[in-house]
Amino acid sequence: ELDSRPGSKETAENLRNALIKLKFEAEIFSDFTYEEIKTKVNDLCSREEDLRKSDCILIIVMTHGLFNDHLYSKDTHYPSNDLRLLFLTKQCPSLAGKPKLFIFQACRGNQQDTGTKMMESTATKTDGPMSVYRLPAHADFLTAYSTAPKHVAYRKPFIKAFCEELSSQEVKEGKIDFLSML
């Protein structure tokens, strides 16, 4: 009963091709029920040998979303955090110590971001033609939490590790960017 998402199949294919070029194993799964999603994740986590050889796992979900970070599957909606919880070290020990990256392309509410009108020169000279575009008001943010939602945070290990990273030689020499450091 939700609106269709025109262009989603093409977007997913483009994303898969871009990831394959970066040496990722990439698969597309469409229109899964919530149980099918959980089954697929459990099947993936049972491939321990394959995962031990992996440097990370990247899960990208493109779907309709709701308030409170809920995502839609074919038959219901569920908290996005439920997906993340399926990859805890107890459920997926072969990914312990490896980055588990999640990207959610889904609404989180119904407020429209009208953005800010920007102008940019399309010529090499500043007096050349200008193009107009909109920059989302919430662009250019990176938010990092020291803990998962609804969990306590342990300041000492998090801040200690953060300070050590900030003081590392790679950071001082500009060989590592802030996002990589996180």
Side-chain angles (χ1 to χ4, degrees):
E1 298 170 11
L2 298 170
D3 293 337
S4 67
R5 293 171 46 97
S8 289
K9 285 184 177 33
E10 183 182 341
T11 301
E13 277 298 323
N14 290 340
L15 187 56
R16 184 181 74 78
N17 293 336
L19 289 169
I20 288 171
K21 288 179 183 174
L22 293 171
K23 307 284 191 245
F24 276 84
E25 291 179 27
E27 298 179 65
I28 298 171
F29 304 102
S30 300
D31 299 323
F32 271 26
T33 65
Y34 184 56
E35 285 304 313
E36 289 173 320
I37 292 168
K38 291 193 305 187
T39 299
K40 180 55 76 176
V41 170
N42 289 330
D43 291 347
L44 175 66
C45 288
S46 69
R47 294 172 28 200
E48 288 188 38
E49 191 59 38
D50 292 343
L51 294 178
R52 280 196 173 85
K53 295 175 185 173
S54 299
D55 295 320
C56 69
I57 189 161
L58 172 62
I59 306 291
I60 302 172
V61 179
M62 299 187 313
T63 188
H64 287 282
L66 282 172
F67 294 97
N68 299 323
D69 293 329
H70 277 233
L71 302 171
Y72 275 102
S73 62
K74 187 174 185 174
D75 60 340
T76 190
H77 61 85
Y78 60 96
S80 61
N81 195 47
D82 283 5
L83 186 58
R84 192 185 65 78
L85 294 175
L86 295 171
F87 288 92
L88 294 175
T89 54
K90 281 184 184 177
Q91 287 80 353
C92 208
S94 53
L95 285 175
K98 296 180 180 184
K100 292 161 271 300
L101 311 168
F102 294 85
I103 297 173
F104 299 109
Q105 170 59 48
C107 291
R108 299 176 81 187
N110 60 4
Q111 293 182 2
Q112 295 283 326
D113 183 348
T114 57
T116 304
K117 194 173 186 179
M118 306 292 290
M119 297 187 70
E120 178 178 63
S121 175
T122 57
T124 55
K125 296 179 182 178
T126 56
D127 60 344
M130 302 293 276
S131 66
V132 177
Y133 63 97
R134 288 208 172 268
L135 183 66
H138 295 270
D140 308 318
F141 283 87
L142 169 66
T143 305
Y145 295 92
S146 62
T147 190
K150 299 182 183 177
H151 286 73
V152 299
Y154 298 101
R155 178 180 41 84
K156 282 189 177 179
F158 179 74
I159 296 299
K160 181 181 180 208
F162 186 68
C163 290
E164 287 172 1
E165 286 294 322
L166 284 174
S167 302
S168 73
Q169 195 62 34
E170 290 89 359
V171 171
K172 288 177 184 173
E173 295 174 0
K175 293 180 181 174
I176 190 169
D177 61 85
F178 193 77
L179 185 58
S180 298
M181 182 190 68
L182 286 175

